[in-house]
Amino acid sequence: MNFYSVVDQAIALLRQRGRVTYRALKRQFDLDDEALADLTEELIYGQRLAADEDGRVLVWTGDMPMVTEPHVSQSPSGQPSTTHEDPPAHAETPPVSPMSDAERRQLTVMFCDLVDSTALSGQLDPEDLRDVVRAYQQMCSAVITCFDGHIAQLLGDGLLVYFGYPHAHEDDPQRAVRAGLGILAAMDDLSSRLRREKGITLALRLGIHTGLVVVGAMGGAQRQSRAVGTGRNAQYRRQIPRTGSAQYDCYQ
């Protein structure tokens, strides 16, 4: 895995968790002290997405809101006084707009899940199984984010991922395939670590399907969600082998 692949995965992890210790970064990405120093310098000074806290923790700053300037007015004495404008006393909350009508679009869908997860649940304590599934989900999420994919659902140890919704690209099928290969490459590292620490080996299945879909609201008044419906025009499907290694580069 090259340096900027680690940078992109670290950005995704930091964005998701908000705060990450340097020790956790070393363990997650198997870094030595020099590589950790390069990574933190890139995140803090190169990308300006994080801040150091006590030399032990990285804090995500990439989505910090802009500070609103206070309103300055003149007091009766002629001196400027600083106040914050209050909202109108009877301001009404704007109505929530209903979910838009269904739309037809080209979409690439990827699904991945762990192999023999039921048997795995019989080998591990519930707490250990939770840690394993979370590590696997975080690893997948980092790679998927790298290729601008959208995780639509987490279904136990399965992930349903969209490429082309809500943000479309001309090369969404290629992004999905490269994300799948990237997940396989990262899975090799994760499986090796879990083999050493817990004596288990992980494998996964990946499936990719591309075609025309209809995206729209499903459900009743109490609960609604965005759902994707496929038809006869779905035209491309590819199974990626459950094991193997590959190199990948993130899209910027």
Side-chain angles (χ1 to χ4, degrees), residues 91-136:
E92 298 181 357
T93 303
V96 178
S97 60
M99 304 181 85
S100 60
D101 293 337
E103 58 177 316
R104 180 185 178 99
R105 65 194 300 166
Q106 186 80 14
L107 190 69
T108 299
V109 178
M110 181 173 73
F111 185 83
C112 62
D113 70 336
L114 291 176
V115 176
D116 295 331
S117 57
T118 302
L120 185 65
S121 65
Q123 302 175 29
L124 299 173
D125 291 333
E127 292 82 3
D128 290 336
L129 178 64
R130 175 178 177 270
D131 292 341
V132 169
V133 173
R134 287 192 65 182
Y136 149 75

Side-chain angles (χ1 to χ4, degrees), residues 151-177:
I151 299 178
Q153 293 185 52
L154 291 174
L155 308 168
D157 61 285
L159 288 85
L160 177 64
V161 185
Y162 297 157
F163 293 86
Y165 180 86
H167 304 297
H169 310 84
E170 292 183 357
D171 59 344
D172 280 316
Q174 289 88 344
R175 287 172 179 260
V177 172

Side-chain angles (χ1 to χ4, degrees), residues 180-203:
L181 294 174
I183 288 173
L184 290 177
M187 176 61 92
D188 283 347
D189 298 334
L190 176 62
S191 185
S192 297
R193 177 167 65 85
L194 292 176
R195 191 180 303 114
R196 294 192 305 268
E197 296 177 357
K198 301 183 182 295
I200 61 173
T201 300
L202 295 184

